[in-house]
Amino acid sequence: MYSFKSLIKQLIGFFLLLILAAIPLVFHNTGDPLQSQQQITFQPQQIVILIKAFMAGIFSLDAFYYKTGSNTRFFPADIVAYFKSSYFYLTSSGLIVITISFLFGIWLWKISVKYLNGALSFLGMIPDFIFILLMQLMVNFIYKSTGFKTVKVASLSMDDPALFLPIVTLVLIPLIYFIRALNEHTHEVISEDYILTAIGKGLSKPRIYLYHVTTNVLPYLKADLQKITGIMISNLFVVEYLYNTRGITTMLFQIQVKFGYQYNLVVLCLISIMLLYISVLYTFKLLIYIVERILRHA
């Protein structure tokens, strides 16, 4: 019964995605472009036509081809490199977020409340694109002042990607959220009776944190993984555009801007983003599962 409900939800989500991708094509300007008076018409029947053509194109494989000017390209052959790039940035950033959150949210939560939270809160008030611009300007300023090259401010190609600044940008907001959340949960766990009992029995502080506090805070960490993955995916749009890191969102937006809106390409990119979300989420879950297994058998 659960799998059937899950299948129905996935089918509904898939058709909503097909409708969402078609919306930009249902509005048409029927006025004379040389006249100042424009007339916008709404043609919802276009949604049905586009979806039917896309579904038919899946079986004939026509839906998997897209145009870049005069060239026709096969989507599955191109998406792998873009997918790998986005997956690398998201998982690298996520592993850093989880590791630092684990350290400062649980083990050093008193220190992070006193010092780190204030600094992170200030940085969190700065919009993403302003933060990226400031970091890029700072790198350029250091180079012009000292002649010393520090990090890349943007990717020149997929073979020569910028790493440090995109990962720092992706880390910042989830890190603020995770450390705050884990601070609160650690504070609650610390005041529980079984922790006070462990202290009363004379157990060492590292042992109490490792076997009692950490194991009881990890479920909260797992519960927030979906939210954190969603935040990172939404930030990926800004990061890939401003750092030119050539990921899935680059394929979704830049090809449409340069070569016009292609319904099948938008649908396939949105499906790829959904698969990216699932892949990243389960990578994070696997990491937490391994940590739990290690703690359980240590």
Side-chain angles (χ1 to χ4, degrees), residues 114-156:
K114 191 174 182 180
Y115 300 108
L116 192 61
N117 269 354
L120 290 175
S121 299
F122 173 74
L123 292 173
M125 294 168 61
I126 304 173
D128 279 356
F129 67 96
I130 297 292
F131 184 69
I132 293 170
L133 181 62
L134 289 175
M135 289 198 299
Q136 290 174 328
L137 288 173
M138 185 175 66
V139 170
N140 282 329
F141 175 77
I142 293 172
Y143 175 67
K144 288 181 178 178
S145 301
T146 64
F148 180 67
K149 293 182 180 179
T150 52
V151 293
K152 293 186 177 70
V153 295
S155 300
L156 297 176

mmCIF file of all heavy atoms in Angstrom, residues 114-156:
data_model
loop_
_atom_site.group_PDB
_atom_site.id
_atom_site.type_symbol
_atom_site.label_atom_id
_atom_site.label_comp_id
_atom_site.label_asym_id
_atom_site.label_seq_id
_atom_site.Cartn_x
_atom_site.Cartn_y
_atom_site.Cartn_z
ATOM 1 N N LYS A 114 28.985 31.062 22.069
ATOM 2 C CA LYS A 114 29.591 32.294 22.564
ATOM 3 C C LYS A 114 30.261 33.100 21.460
ATOM 4 O O LYS A 114 30.167 34.324 21.419
ATOM 5 C CB LYS A 114 30.629 31.929 23.635
ATOM 6 C CG LYS A 114 31.146 33.137 24.409
ATOM 7 C CD LYS A 114 32.052 32.663 25.540
ATOM 8 C CE LYS A 114 32.550 33.850 26.365
ATOM 9 N NZ LYS A 114 33.437 33.406 27.472
ATOM 10 N N TYR A 115 30.931 32.438 20.526
ATOM 11 C CA TYR A 115 31.733 33.154 19.528
ATOM 12 C C TYR A 115 31.253 32.915 18.093
ATOM 13 O O TYR A 115 31.023 33.852 17.330
ATOM 14 C CB TYR A 115 33.209 32.735 19.622
ATOM 15 C CG TYR A 115 33.822 33.027 20.969
ATOM 16 C CD1 TYR A 115 34.113 31.996 21.856
ATOM 17 C CD2 TYR A 115 34.108 34.335 21.353
ATOM 18 C CE1 TYR A 115 34.673 32.255 23.093
ATOM 19 C CE2 TYR A 115 34.670 34.609 22.595
ATOM 20 C CZ TYR A 115 34.949 33.555 23.459
ATOM 21 O OH TYR A 115 35.495 33.831 24.690
ATOM 22 N N LEU A 116 31.134 31.647 17.717
ATOM 23 C CA LEU A 116 30.919 31.324 16.315
ATOM 24 C C LEU A 116 29.546 31.739 15.813
ATOM 25 O O LEU A 116 29.396 32.210 14.685
ATOM 26 C CB LEU A 116 31.109 29.809 16.116
ATOM 27 C CG LEU A 116 31.196 29.321 14.681
ATOM 28 C CD1 LEU A 116 32.390 29.956 13.978
ATOM 29 C CD2 LEU A 116 31.333 27.812 14.641
ATOM 30 N N ASN A 117 28.517 31.578 16.628
ATOM 31 C CA ASN A 117 27.162 31.902 16.187
ATOM 32 C C ASN A 117 27.020 33.349 15.760
ATOM 33 O O ASN A 117 26.326 33.666 14.790
ATOM 34 C CB ASN A 117 26.155 31.594 17.303
ATOM 35 C CG ASN A 117 25.619 30.177 17.192
ATOM 36 O OD1 ASN A 117 25.914 29.481 16.242
ATOM 37 N ND2 ASN A 117 24.854 29.761 18.168
ATOM 38 N N GLY A 118 27.678 34.251 16.513
ATOM 39 C CA GLY A 118 27.588 35.673 16.186
ATOM 40 C C GLY A 118 28.182 35.974 14.821
ATOM 41 O O GLY A 118 27.577 36.684 14.010
ATOM 42 N N ALA A 119 29.363 35.407 14.565
ATOM 43 C CA ALA A 119 30.027 35.634 13.275
ATOM 44 C C ALA A 119 29.213 35.031 12.139
ATOM 45 O O ALA A 119 29.028 35.659 11.086
ATOM 46 C CB ALA A 119 31.425 35.025 13.303
ATOM 47 N N LEU A 120 28.701 33.807 12.341
ATOM 48 C CA LEU A 120 27.922 33.157 11.295
ATOM 49 C C LEU A 120 26.611 33.899 11.044
ATOM 50 O O LEU A 120 26.165 34.009 9.900
ATOM 51 C CB LEU A 120 27.639 31.696 11.681
ATOM 52 C CG LEU A 120 28.843 30.752 11.663
ATOM 53 C CD1 LEU A 120 28.443 29.370 12.172
ATOM 54 C CD2 LEU A 120 29.415 30.637 10.260
ATOM 55 N N SER A 121 25.996 34.412 12.102
ATOM 56 C CA SER A 121 24.752 35.159 11.938
ATOM 57 C C SER A 121 24.975 36.409 11.102
ATOM 58 O O SER A 121 24.153 36.768 10.248
ATOM 59 C CB SER A 121 24.182 35.538 13.303
ATOM 60 O OG SER A 121 23.893 34.384 14.046
ATOM 61 N N PHE A 122 26.106 37.089 11.336
ATOM 62 C CA PHE A 122 26.420 38.292 10.564
ATOM 63 C C PHE A 122 26.610 37.939 9.085
ATOM 64 O O PHE A 122 26.071 38.608 8.192
ATOM 65 C CB PHE A 122 27.689 38.954 11.114
ATOM 66 C CG PHE A 122 28.177 40.096 10.280
ATOM 67 C CD1 PHE A 122 27.508 41.318 10.297
ATOM 68 C CD2 PHE A 122 29.283 39.950 9.456
ATOM 69 C CE1 PHE A 122 27.942 42.370 9.501
ATOM 70 C CE2 PHE A 122 29.733 40.992 8.662
ATOM 71 C CZ PHE A 122 29.059 42.215 8.688
ATOM 72 N N LEU A 123 27.363 36.865 8.814
ATOM 73 C CA LEU A 123 27.594 36.448 7.429
ATOM 74 C C LEU A 123 26.292 35.992 6.763
ATOM 75 O O LEU A 123 26.088 36.211 5.569
ATOM 76 C CB LEU A 123 28.626 35.311 7.387
ATOM 77 C CG LEU A 123 30.056 35.693 7.773
ATOM 78 C CD1 LEU A 123 30.938 34.451 7.848
ATOM 79 C CD2 LEU A 123 30.632 36.689 6.775
ATOM 80 N N GLY A 124 25.397 35.391 7.562
ATOM 81 C CA GLY A 124 24.128 34.915 7.021
ATOM 82 C C GLY A 124 23.191 36.026 6.604
ATOM 83 O O GLY A 124 22.254 35.817 5.832
ATOM 84 N N MET A 125 23.429 37.244 7.111
ATOM 85 C CA MET A 125 22.588 38.389 6.738
ATOM 86 C C MET A 125 22.936 38.910 5.344
ATOM 87 O O MET A 125 22.174 39.658 4.746
ATOM 88 C CB MET A 125 22.767 39.512 7.768
ATOM 89 C CG MET A 125 22.243 39.166 9.154
ATOM 90 S SD MET A 125 22.775 40.367 10.386
ATOM 91 C CE MET A 125 22.031 41.863 9.734
ATOM 92 N N ILE A 126 24.110 38.526 4.831
ATOM 93 C CA ILE A 126 24.548 39.017 3.522
ATOM 94 C C ILE A 126 23.959 38.135 2.432
ATOM 95 O O ILE A 126 24.127 36.916 2.463
ATOM 96 C CB ILE A 126 26.090 39.001 3.429
ATOM 97 C CG1 ILE A 126 26.691 39.811 4.579
ATOM 98 C CG2 ILE A 126 26.555 39.557 2.099
ATOM 99 C CD1 ILE A 126 28.200 39.721 4.658
ATOM 100 N N PRO A 127 23.249 38.711 1.446
ATOM 101 C CA PRO A 127 22.701 37.889 0.340
ATOM 102 C C PRO A 127 23.811 37.145 -0.392
ATOM 103 O O PRO A 127 24.949 37.628 -0.474
ATOM 104 C CB PRO A 127 22.037 38.932 -0.569
ATOM 105 C CG PRO A 127 21.767 40.099 0.315
ATOM 106 C CD PRO A 127 22.873 40.126 1.335
ATOM 107 N N ASP A 128 23.449 35.994 -0.980
ATOM 108 C CA ASP A 128 24.440 35.139 -1.645
ATOM 109 C C ASP A 128 25.256 35.879 -2.689
ATOM 110 O O ASP A 128 26.489 35.788 -2.722
ATOM 111 C CB ASP A 128 23.727 33.961 -2.325
ATOM 112 C CG ASP A 128 23.403 32.874 -1.333
ATOM 113 O OD1 ASP A 128 23.802 33.025 -0.163
ATOM 114 O OD2 ASP A 128 22.771 31.885 -1.724
ATOM 115 N N PHE A 129 24.561 36.600 -3.583
ATOM 116 C CA PHE A 129 25.278 37.220 -4.699
ATOM 117 C C PHE A 129 26.211 38.334 -4.216
ATOM 118 O O PHE A 129 27.279 38.553 -4.795
ATOM 119 C CB PHE A 129 24.287 37.740 -5.751
ATOM 120 C CG PHE A 129 23.434 38.885 -5.304
ATOM 121 C CD1 PHE A 129 23.790 40.191 -5.595
ATOM 122 C CD2 PHE A 129 22.270 38.669 -4.590
ATOM 123 C CE1 PHE A 129 23.003 41.253 -5.186
ATOM 124 C CE2 PHE A 129 21.470 39.725 -4.175
ATOM 125 C CZ PHE A 129 21.846 41.012 -4.471
ATOM 126 N N ILE A 130 25.830 39.025 -3.113
ATOM 127 C CA ILE A 130 26.713 40.048 -2.548
ATOM 128 C C ILE A 130 27.940 39.384 -1.916
ATOM 129 O O ILE A 130 29.080 39.842 -2.074
ATOM 130 C CB ILE A 130 25.965 40.882 -1.484
ATOM 131 C CG1 ILE A 130 24.793 41.633 -2.120
ATOM 132 C CG2 ILE A 130 26.928 41.853 -0.791
ATOM 133 C CD1 ILE A 130 25.213 42.716 -3.081
ATOM 134 N N PHE A 131 27.696 38.268 -1.214
ATOM 135 C CA PHE A 131 28.800 37.534 -0.575
ATOM 136 C C PHE A 131 29.791 37.030 -1.625
ATOM 137 O O PHE A 131 31.007 37.124 -1.450
ATOM 138 C CB PHE A 131 28.208 36.370 0.223
ATOM 139 C CG PHE A 131 29.218 35.588 0.999
ATOM 140 C CD1 PHE A 131 29.864 36.138 2.099
ATOM 141 C CD2 PHE A 131 29.537 34.288 0.627
ATOM 142 C CE1 PHE A 131 30.807 35.413 2.811
ATOM 143 C CE2 PHE A 131 30.473 33.559 1.335
ATOM 144 C CZ PHE A 131 31.112 34.123 2.426
ATOM 145 N N ILE A 132 29.259 36.504 -2.729
ATOM 146 C CA ILE A 132 30.130 36.012 -3.808
ATOM 147 C C ILE A 132 30.935 37.157 -4.404
ATOM 148 O O ILE A 132 32.150 37.044 -4.617
ATOM 149 C CB ILE A 132 29.274 35.321 -4.892
ATOM 150 C CG1 ILE A 132 28.656 34.043 -4.332
ATOM 151 C CG2 ILE A 132 30.114 35.010 -6.131
ATOM 152 C CD1 ILE A 132 27.613 33.416 -5.233
ATOM 153 N N LEU A 133 30.264 38.276 -4.661
ATOM 154 C CA LEU A 133 30.948 39.436 -5.248
ATOM 155 C C LEU A 133 32.055 39.946 -4.329
ATOM 156 O O LEU A 133 33.165 40.258 -4.786
ATOM 157 C CB LEU A 133 29.924 40.549 -5.521
ATOM 158 C CG LEU A 133 30.462 41.828 -6.165
ATOM 159 C CD1 LEU A 133 31.050 41.515 -7.539
ATOM 160 C CD2 LEU A 133 29.357 42.878 -6.289
ATOM 161 N N LEU A 134 31.767 40.007 -3.019
ATOM 162 C CA LEU A 134 32.773 40.484 -2.059
ATOM 163 C C LEU A 134 33.991 39.562 -2.034
ATOM 164 O O LEU A 134 35.136 40.028 -1.974
ATOM 165 C CB LEU A 134 32.155 40.577 -0.655
ATOM 166 C CG LEU A 134 31.133 41.701 -0.438
ATOM 167 C CD1 LEU A 134 30.508 41.593 0.946
ATOM 168 C CD2 LEU A 134 31.797 43.059 -0.614
ATOM 169 N N MET A 135 33.744 38.251 -2.058
ATOM 170 C CA MET A 135 34.871 37.315 -2.038
ATOM 171 C C MET A 135 35.702 37.426 -3.312
ATOM 172 O O MET A 135 36.938 37.378 -3.276
ATOM 173 C CB MET A 135 34.365 35.876 -1.859
ATOM 174 C CG MET A 135 33.820 35.594 -0.463
ATOM 175 S SD MET A 135 33.723 33.822 -0.093
ATOM 176 C CE MET A 135 32.585 33.288 -1.347
ATOM 177 N N GLN A 136 35.026 37.577 -4.448
ATOM 178 C CA GLN A 136 35.765 37.707 -5.712
ATOM 179 C C GLN A 136 36.582 38.998 -5.740
ATOM 180 O O GLN A 136 37.730 39.013 -6.207
ATOM 181 C CB GLN A 136 34.789 37.661 -6.896
ATOM 182 C CG GLN A 136 34.184 36.276 -7.104
ATOM 183 C CD GLN A 136 33.113 36.252 -8.172
ATOM 184 O OE1 GLN A 136 32.396 37.233 -8.369
ATOM 185 N NE2 GLN A 136 32.981 35.125 -8.864
ATOM 186 N N LEU A 137 35.992 40.093 -5.230
ATOM 187 C CA LEU A 137 36.717 41.369 -5.175
ATOM 188 C C LEU A 137 37.920 41.271 -4.229
ATOM 189 O O LEU A 137 38.983 41.830 -4.508
ATOM 190 C CB LEU A 137 35.772 42.492 -4.720
ATOM 191 C CG LEU A 137 34.717 42.928 -5.733
ATOM 192 C CD1 LEU A 137 33.752 43.928 -5.101
ATOM 193 C CD2 LEU A 137 35.378 43.543 -6.957
ATOM 194 N N MET A 138 37.739 40.556 -3.124
ATOM 195 C CA MET A 138 38.830 40.415 -2.166
ATOM 196 C C MET A 138 39.997 39.636 -2.771
ATOM 197 O O MET A 138 41.166 39.998 -2.591
ATOM 198 C CB MET A 138 38.331 39.703 -0.902
ATOM 199 C CG MET A 138 39.366 39.620 0.209
ATOM 200 S SD MET A 138 38.690 38.910 1.709
ATOM 201 C CE MET A 138 38.363 37.236 1.171
ATOM 202 N N VAL A 139 39.685 38.572 -3.508
ATOM 203 C CA VAL A 139 40.734 37.778 -4.162
ATOM 204 C C VAL A 139 41.472 38.635 -5.185
ATOM 205 O O VAL A 139 42.714 38.612 -5.264
ATOM 206 C CB VAL A 139 40.122 36.528 -4.834
ATOM 207 C CG1 VAL A 139 41.158 35.833 -5.716
ATOM 208 C CG2 VAL A 139 39.611 35.568 -3.784
ATOM 209 N N ASN A 140 40.736 39.424 -5.960
ATOM 210 C CA ASN A 140 41.365 40.315 -6.951
ATOM 211 C C ASN A 140 42.220 41.378 -6.272
ATOM 212 O O ASN A 140 43.309 41.712 -6.758
ATOM 213 C CB ASN A 140 40.291 40.990 -7.806
ATOM 214 C CG ASN A 140 39.750 40.050 -8.868
ATOM 215 O OD1 ASN A 140 40.469 39.182 -9.355
ATOM 216 N ND2 ASN A 140 38.492 40.204 -9.214
ATOM 217 N N PHE A 141 41.723 41.912 -5.135
ATOM 218 C CA PHE A 141 42.473 42.941 -4.401
ATOM 219 C C PHE A 141 43.807 42.372 -3.887
ATOM 220 O O PHE A 141 44.856 43.024 -3.993
ATOM 221 C CB PHE A 141 41.624 43.455 -3.232
ATOM 222 C CG PHE A 141 42.347 44.425 -2.352
ATOM 223 C CD1 PHE A 141 42.540 45.746 -2.747
ATOM 224 C CD2 PHE A 141 42.863 44.016 -1.116
ATOM 225 C CE1 PHE A 141 43.228 46.645 -1.942
ATOM 226 C CE2 PHE A 141 43.538 44.908 -0.301
ATOM 227 C CZ PHE A 141 43.725 46.223 -0.718
ATOM 228 N N ILE A 142 43.759 41.163 -3.336
ATOM 229 C CA ILE A 142 44.991 40.530 -2.838
ATOM 230 C C ILE A 142 45.976 40.318 -3.980
ATOM 231 O O ILE A 142 47.177 40.568 -3.844
ATOM 232 C CB ILE A 142 44.656 39.182 -2.149
ATOM 233 C CG1 ILE A 142 43.854 39.438 -0.869
ATOM 234 C CG2 ILE A 142 45.932 38.399 -1.824
ATOM 235 C CD1 ILE A 142 43.314 38.171 -0.226
ATOM 236 N N TYR A 143 45.466 39.891 -5.127
ATOM 237 C CA TYR A 143 46.353 39.632 -6.277
ATOM 238 C C TYR A 143 46.995 40.927 -6.783
ATOM 239 O O TYR A 143 48.206 40.980 -7.050
ATOM 240 C CB TYR A 143 45.554 38.971 -7.393
ATOM 241 C CG TYR A 143 46.363 38.773 -8.657
ATOM 242 C CD1 TYR A 143 47.441 37.892 -8.694
ATOM 243 C CD2 TYR A 143 46.044 39.482 -9.821
ATOM 244 C CE1 TYR A 143 48.195 37.717 -9.845
ATOM 245 C CE2 TYR A 143 46.795 39.321 -10.975
ATOM 246 C CZ TYR A 143 47.863 38.434 -10.984
ATOM 247 O OH TYR A 143 48.616 38.271 -12.123
ATOM 248 N N LYS A 144 46.188 42.012 -6.875
ATOM 249 C CA LYS A 144 46.725 43.274 -7.375
ATOM 250 C C LYS A 144 47.685 43.918 -6.376
ATOM 251 O O LYS A 144 48.630 44.604 -6.756
ATOM 252 C CB LYS A 144 45.573 44.239 -7.683
ATOM 253 C CG LYS A 144 44.774 43.844 -8.921
ATOM 254 C CD LYS A 144 43.665 44.836 -9.209
ATOM 255 C CE LYS A 144 42.909 44.438 -10.486
ATOM 256 N NZ LYS A 144 41.793 45.361 -10.772
ATOM 257 N N SER A 145 47.437 43.697 -5.076
ATOM 258 C CA SER A 145 48.268 44.321 -4.043
ATOM 259 C C SER A 145 49.588 43.580 -3.837
ATOM 260 O O SER A 145 50.629 44.191 -3.581
ATOM 261 C CB SER A 145 47.511 44.378 -2.711
ATOM 262 O OG SER A 145 46.319 45.103 -2.859
ATOM 263 N N THR A 146 49.529 42.242 -3.940
ATOM 264 C CA THR A 146 50.720 41.451 -3.600
ATOM 265 C C THR A 146 51.283 40.659 -4.773
ATOM 266 O O THR A 146 52.410 40.174 -4.699
ATOM 267 C CB THR A 146 50.370 40.451 -2.474
ATOM 268 O OG1 THR A 146 49.401 39.517 -2.967
ATOM 269 C CG2 THR A 146 49.799 41.174 -1.260
ATOM 270 N N GLY A 147 50.482 40.516 -5.835
ATOM 271 C CA GLY A 147 50.906 39.689 -6.958
ATOM 272 C C GLY A 147 50.785 38.205 -6.670
ATOM 273 O O GLY A 147 51.229 37.373 -7.468
ATOM 274 N N PHE A 148 50.184 37.860 -5.542
ATOM 275 C CA PHE A 148 50.068 36.464 -5.122
ATOM 276 C C PHE A 148 48.700 35.914 -5.520
ATOM 277 O O PHE A 148 47.660 36.456 -5.138
ATOM 278 C CB PHE A 148 50.260 36.380 -3.605
ATOM 279 C CG PHE A 148 50.167 34.975 -3.070
ATOM 280 C CD1 PHE A 148 51.134 34.027 -3.385
ATOM 281 C CD2 PHE A 148 49.109 34.607 -2.245
ATOM 282 C CE1 PHE A 148 51.047 32.736 -2.900
ATOM 283 C CE2 PHE A 148 49.009 33.318 -1.750
ATOM 284 C CZ PHE A 148 49.988 32.387 -2.078
ATOM 285 N N LYS A 149 48.694 34.825 -6.301
ATOM 286 C CA LYS A 149 47.440 34.199 -6.707
ATOM 287 C C LYS A 149 46.960 33.264 -5.601
ATOM 288 O O LYS A 149 47.695 32.358 -5.202
ATOM 289 C CB LYS A 149 47.639 33.414 -8.009
ATOM 290 C CG LYS A 149 47.935 34.282 -9.220
ATOM 291 C CD LYS A 149 48.062 33.427 -10.472
ATOM 292 C CE LYS A 149 48.361 34.291 -11.692
ATOM 293 N NZ LYS A 149 48.515 33.485 -12.921
ATOM 294 N N THR A 150 45.765 33.501 -5.115
ATOM 295 C CA THR A 150 45.222 32.678 -4.026
ATOM 296 C C THR A 150 44.307 31.577 -4.570
ATOM 297 O O THR A 150 44.692 30.416 -4.644
ATOM 298 C CB THR A 150 44.460 33.551 -3.032
ATOM 299 O OG1 THR A 150 43.495 34.351 -3.744
ATOM 300 C CG2 THR A 150 45.415 34.470 -2.271
ATOM 301 N N VAL A 151 43.090 31.945 -4.963
ATOM 302 C CA VAL A 151 42.123 30.954 -5.472
ATOM 303 C C VAL A 151 41.477 31.500 -6.736
ATOM 304 O O VAL A 151 41.529 32.694 -7.013
ATOM 305 C CB VAL A 151 41.027 30.658 -4.414
ATOM 306 C CG1 VAL A 151 41.617 29.954 -3.206
ATOM 307 C CG2 VAL A 151 40.309 31.935 -4.005
ATOM 308 N N LYS A 152 40.850 30.607 -7.501
ATOM 309 C CA LYS A 152 40.149 31.019 -8.731
ATOM 310 C C LYS A 152 38.830 31.708 -8.372
ATOM 311 O O LYS A 152 38.114 31.247 -7.489
ATOM 312 C CB LYS A 152 39.871 29.808 -9.620
ATOM 313 C CG LYS A 152 41.098 29.147 -10.218
ATOM 314 C CD LYS A 152 40.668 28.054 -11.198
ATOM 315 C CE LYS A 152 41.869 27.416 -11.865
ATOM 316 N NZ LYS A 152 42.647 26.583 -10.900
ATOM 317 N N VAL A 153 38.533 32.801 -9.069
ATOM 318 C CA VAL A 153 37.275 33.511 -8.817
ATOM 319 C C VAL A 153 36.150 32.987 -9.719
ATOM 320 O O VAL A 153 34.982 33.320 -9.512
ATOM 321 C CB VAL A 153 37.442 35.031 -9.030
ATOM 322 C CG1 VAL A 153 38.409 35.598 -8.010
ATOM 323 C CG2 VAL A 153 37.915 35.335 -10.453
ATOM 324 N N ALA A 154 36.498 32.198 -10.747
ATOM 325 C CA ALA A 154 35.490 31.590 -11.624
ATOM 326 C C ALA A 154 36.153 30.464 -12.411
ATOM 327 O O ALA A 154 37.382 30.427 -12.543
ATOM 328 C CB ALA A 154 34.898 32.628 -12.582
ATOM 329 N N SER A 155 35.318 29.557 -12.928
ATOM 330 C CA SER A 155 35.845 28.440 -13.714
ATOM 331 C C SER A 155 36.024 28.872 -15.159
ATOM 332 O O SER A 155 35.129 29.474 -15.757
ATOM 333 C CB SER A 155 34.871 27.260 -13.657
ATOM 334 O OG SER A 155 34.698 26.836 -12.329
ATOM 335 N N LEU A 156 37.195 28.558 -15.722
ATOM 336 C CA LEU A 156 37.430 28.854 -17.134
ATOM 337 C C LEU A 156 36.829 27.764 -18.016
ATOM 338 O O LEU A 156 36.392 28.021 -19.127
ATOM 339 C CB LEU A 156 38.935 28.971 -17.395
ATOM 340 C CG LEU A 156 39.642 30.111 -16.651
ATOM 341 C CD1 LEU A 156 41.137 30.068 -16.921
ATOM 342 C CD2 LEU A 156 39.057 31.463 -17.073
#
